[in-house]
Amino acid sequence: MKTIITYGTFDLFHVGHVRLLRRLKKLGDRLVVGLSTDEFNKVKGKEVIIPYADRYEILMACQYVDDVFPEDNWQQKRDDIIREKADIFAIGDDWAGKFDDLEDIVNVLYLPRTQNVSTTELKTVLRKIDQDKIDEVKNVASHLTELVSKL
Ligand code: C2G
């Protein structure tokens, strides 16, 4: 039984996350994910949209994921790897080199990220949609005000 372990926030679950999890599952038999808690995301400096309970449920529904546990600090990886008997620690290459210190107990891999999609970009698009809607409502309101003033 070859176990793969990875970590992340997985906010606004998107195709970049799916492709990474699919690739990770292909490396072994069992994939376990350390999911960053809402509190730990504050430590990571990340503003999350989707709360931990929902991000947990979404990941557990993913066919590539066998188990999810909370990631609430930077130091827990070594203990997690030993508890889960992980053979491979893998994560996107935006973290290249950051976890090489774990090489004494696990095979560390950095995989290419999926280009042109990220939670940050999705948030920007969502904000833009909001702003467009606000502008549209403002235009309608000013048009109505103009019409009423002519009555
Ligand atoms: N990812 C990807 N392609 C993207 C976006 C993300 O391959 N377009 C990968 C990331 O490289 C990471 C995983 O999907 O391996 C989860 O991404 P994030 O939720 O952004 O993870 P991050 O906040 O980097 O958390 O202790 C490690 C951290 O918890 C990692």
Side-chain angles (χ1 to χ4, degrees), residues 40-106:
F40 184 48
N41 275 301
K42 291 193 181 82
V43 172
K44 288 165 68 173
K46 280 191 136 177
E47 169 222 5
V48 279
I49 304 286
I50 309 294
Y52 176 84
D54 293 4
R55 289 184 286 116
Y56 176 93
E57 189 174 340
I58 290 165
L59 270 185
M60 285 299 284
C62 175
Q63 61 175 312
Y64 306 116
V65 175
D66 295 287
D67 202 10
V68 178
F69 57 88
E71 177 192 30
D72 43 36
N73 64 71
W74 291 114
Q75 295 75 28
Q76 70 182 78
K77 292 183 176 66
R78 190 167 283 273
D79 292 345
D80 295 341
I81 287 164
I82 292 164
R83 181 191 69 247
E84 298 294 340
K85 299 184 177 60
D87 303 277
I88 297 175
F89 168 100
I91 198 164
D93 59 9
D94 41 324
W95 292 91
K98 297 284 190 316
F99 303 114
D100 292 353
D101 62 300
L102 298 167
E103 277 288 0
D104 58 326
I105 57 166
V106 76

Side-chain angles (χ1 to χ4, degrees), residues 1-15:
M1 165 77 78
K2 184 182 271 191
T3 295
I4 321 294
I5 192 167
T6 192
Y7 293 79
T9 300
F10 295 95
D11 194 18
L12 297 179
F13 199 62
H14 55 64
V15 72

